[in-house]
Amino acid sequence: MEEKNTAIKRFTLRLNGCYALIHGSYWMLYGVLCSFSSLLLLSRGFSNSEIGLMLALSNLAAVLVQPFLADLADKGGRFGIFRQMRIMAAACMLLCAGLLILRSRSMFLAVVFCLAFAVMMVLQPFANAVGGRLEETGSHINFGVCRSVGSLTYAVLCAVLGRLAEDNGTWVLPAAGELVLAAVIASVVITERTKNAAMAAKTASEEAGSPGAQGSAAAAQEPERAIGLGEFARRHRFFIIASIGTMGVYFSNSILNTYMAQIVMNVGGDASNLGNIFFILAFVEIPTMVLFDRLARRFRCGPMLIVAAFAFAAKMALCLIAKNVTMLFIAQFMQPFSFALFLPAMVRFIDDSMEKGEAVKGHTVFTAMTMVGGIFASVLGGIVLDASGAKALLAIGTAVTALGGLIICLTIGKAEKEGRDARWNSSTRY
């Protein structure tokens, strides 16, 4: 037992470092393709309504594809989680090369952007779910700390890209995407190799520990029963409903991430101000991410999700009443209580209430609902911006986000109980 614990401790720091690399590289990619998407597409001649339609189609494609890829990842085999991530990142590199070459408005440019954005969104639940895979080694993965590295890299990237785009033009955005995607692929390869080494060390220490340990080690590595999408929906009905509330909550997140350029310009700002806003937004969320493990020891995930949901609405309301860029800066200080709390709480909630054979599906449902919220935000946002302006869009966003928070408030406790009951029934049956 002592040898096993030594092996686990030896790899825990390395595995956390690898997981932090994945988040650090992925959220830089998100910054390039999502946070600066409006700036890039406006410079290429697209209207707000056209940008909204493109983003909606991208999110829709990701929503349709994700469940099937998640099912493959849960089952393992040739197309396990790490291999899928490498393939998607490589495909996104090719598409970003297209964005770098195509400089004027065209249908081909629109298609290339939509595909790149969709691949980037499909990657998101995989990046979150990797933590659960790494914990199969027996190591504790601190999601909050690892995800905070993503916030830090995102913050630095946005501040630098905003200034570069203002001084040199938006061609720097897809160029940065190429570099970031190379980092994504490298981080996935390093993480997979480290995880395999950790599993081998764990198995070796168990086999050396006792004569009968070989069989128990093999049993420990045997994956839990993977279930289909239909059974998942039956086992976690209230989680599905709560995820609909997540769709409403993330409506505001999508509005601010996608159309912040227009919101900033509405109060007299520029691309440099846009980068600084995203820098503040990401930087202030780091303490919550880092301290989340301590918060989770004192508070259940359900209540934290409720607090975070209404903090999203408060942030949106502050943006609504903003009269200048400074007030938009101030609104970003709601981020530690909204996104920075909601994301790790939901990831922990899924990992704690679901079995390994269904966890990727849980992350996929969560991410799919955030993307459905993004679809509505993209389509409605572009139309409302062209018809009525930024203030009208922010008012609608505040109302929709408050409704999403109410749904989460009414259902998340039942979803928590439902998950515990499902795990208990599975353990007694199998």
Side-chain angles (χ1 to χ4, degrees):
M1 180 61 71
E2 186 176 344
E3 290 181 8
K4 176 183 173 182
N5 290 337
T6 301
I8 291 172
K9 288 178 182 178
R10 189 169 71 247
F11 279 98
T12 295
L13 184 61
R14 289 171 60 185
L15 289 169
N16 275 276
C18 290
Y19 193 42
L21 285 176
I22 285 180
H23 278 289
S25 56
Y26 173 78
W27 287 100
M28 284 194 291
L29 176 64
Y30 185 90
V32 171
L33 288 180
C34 183
S35 299
F36 285 91
S37 58
S38 282
L39 190 66
L40 175 65
L41 295 173
L42 285 171
S43 73
R44 304 290 166 92
F46 292 97
S47 69
N48 289 317
S49 296
E50 288 170 335
I51 292 170
L53 180 60
M54 290 164 61
L55 295 175
L57 291 173
S58 302
N59 278 300
L60 180 60
V63 169
L64 294 176
V65 169
Q66 270 186 350
F68 301 102
L69 296 182
D71 203 32
L72 285 174
D74 277 333
K75 292 175 181 176
R78 284 188 62 194
F79 293 99
I81 189 169
F82 294 108
R83 186 170 190 179
Q84 287 194 49
M85 291 179 74
R86 292 197 305 272
I87 292 171
M88 285 188 280
C92 202
M93 281 191 81
L94 292 175
L95 293 165
C96 279
L99 294 177
L100 188 58
I101 295 168
L102 300 167
R103 299 291 182 92
S104 59
R105 182 180 179 276
S106 68
M107 179 62 72
F108 188 51
L109 171 59
V111 170
V112 170
F113 176 83
C114 286
L115 289 173
F117 192 95
V119 172
M120 181 269 296
M121 292 304 295
V122 172
L123 267 170
Q124 189 174 136
F126 286 77
N128 290 337
V130 163
R133 290 290 190 268
L134 299 183
E135 288 193 333
E136 293 172 9
T137 65
S139 300
H140 171 65
I141 302 300
N142 191 322
F143 176 85
V145 171
C146 294
R147 175 58 181 79
S148 71
V149 173
S151 298
L152 179 61
T153 56
Y154 173 95
V156 173
L157 176 99
C158 287
V160 172
L161 270 187
R163 174 60 64 186
L164 288 175
E166 182 69 22
D167 294 342
N168 303 287
T170 57
W171 68 269
V172 302
L173 300 174
E178 293 289 84
L179 297 175
V180 169
L181 281 159
V184 171
I185 294 173
S187 66
V188 172
V189 170
I190 293 169
T191 301
E192 183 178 20
R193 290 178 178 176
T194 305
K195 191 240 181 181
N196 291 340
M199 290 298 294
K202 177 186 175 188
T203 301
S205 65
E206 286 173 338
E207 290 174 347
S210 64
Q214 186 169 357
S216 63
Q221 293 182 57
E222 186 177 326
E224 292 191 23
R225 186 180 68 100
I227 66 172
L229 295 171
E231 186 177 350
F232 176 87
R234 287 192 298 272
R235 284 160 62 98
H236 299 283
R237 287 172 295 180
F238 280 104
F239 174 74
I240 300 294
I241 298 172
S243 294
I244 294 173
T246 297
M247 178 178 67
V249 166
Y250 268 71
F251 182 88
S252 70
N253 201 56
S254 297
I255 290 290
L256 295 179
N257 274 326
T258 303
Y259 296 113
M260 184 61 83
Q262 291 90 329
I263 294 168
V264 169
M265 292 173 190
N266 184 63
V267 294
D270 57 21
S272 180
N273 296 136
L274 176 66
N276 289 335
I277 282 176
F278 283 131
F279 172 82
I280 293 171
L281 178 148
F283 192 77
V284 298
E285 73 186 22
I286 292 174
T288 302
M289 296 280 188
V290 170
L291 297 174
F292 180 77
D293 260 20
R294 294 186 182 182
L295 289 172
R297 287 196 289 268
R298 295 191 60 184
F299 306 102
R300 296 194 341 269
C301 289
M304 285 193 286
L305 287 169
I306 293 170
V307 170
F310 287 109
F312 271 110
K315 177 183 173 184
M316 200 70 172
L318 288 172
C319 290
L320 172 62
I321 64 174
K323 304 293 184 183
N324 50 49
V325 173
T326 300
M327 291 182 70
L328 285 179
F329 286 159
I330 293 170
Q332 307 318 306
F333 285 89
M334 288 301 299
Q335 189 75 351
F337 313 102
S338 55
F339 181 84
L341 183 61
F342 195 95
L343 178 62
M346 182 59 80
V347 170
R348 175 69 66 87
F349 180 90
I350 291 168
D351 288 340
D352 288 350
S353 63
M354 298 180 190
E355 298 175 4
K356 277 195 296 184
E358 58 188 10
V360 176
K361 292 183 185 68
H363 288 294
T364 299
V365 168
F366 164 56
T367 307
M369 287 302 181
T370 68
M371 287 190 295
V372 171
I375 292 171
F376 287 115
S378 298
V379 174
L380 185 63
I383 294 172
V384 172
L385 278 171
D386 282 339
S388 305
K391 289 296 181 184
L393 178 59
L394 290 168
I396 293 170
T398 302
V400 171
T401 305
L403 178 61
L406 180 61
I407 293 172
I408 290 172
C409 181
L410 295 175
T411 58
I412 198 67
K414 295 176 182 178
E416 197 170 26
K417 181 179 183 300
E418 186 177 55
R420 288 197 305 268
D421 291 345
R423 288 177 72 95
W424 170 255
N425 291 337
S426 292
S427 65
T428 56
R429 191 179 307 165
Y430 300 98

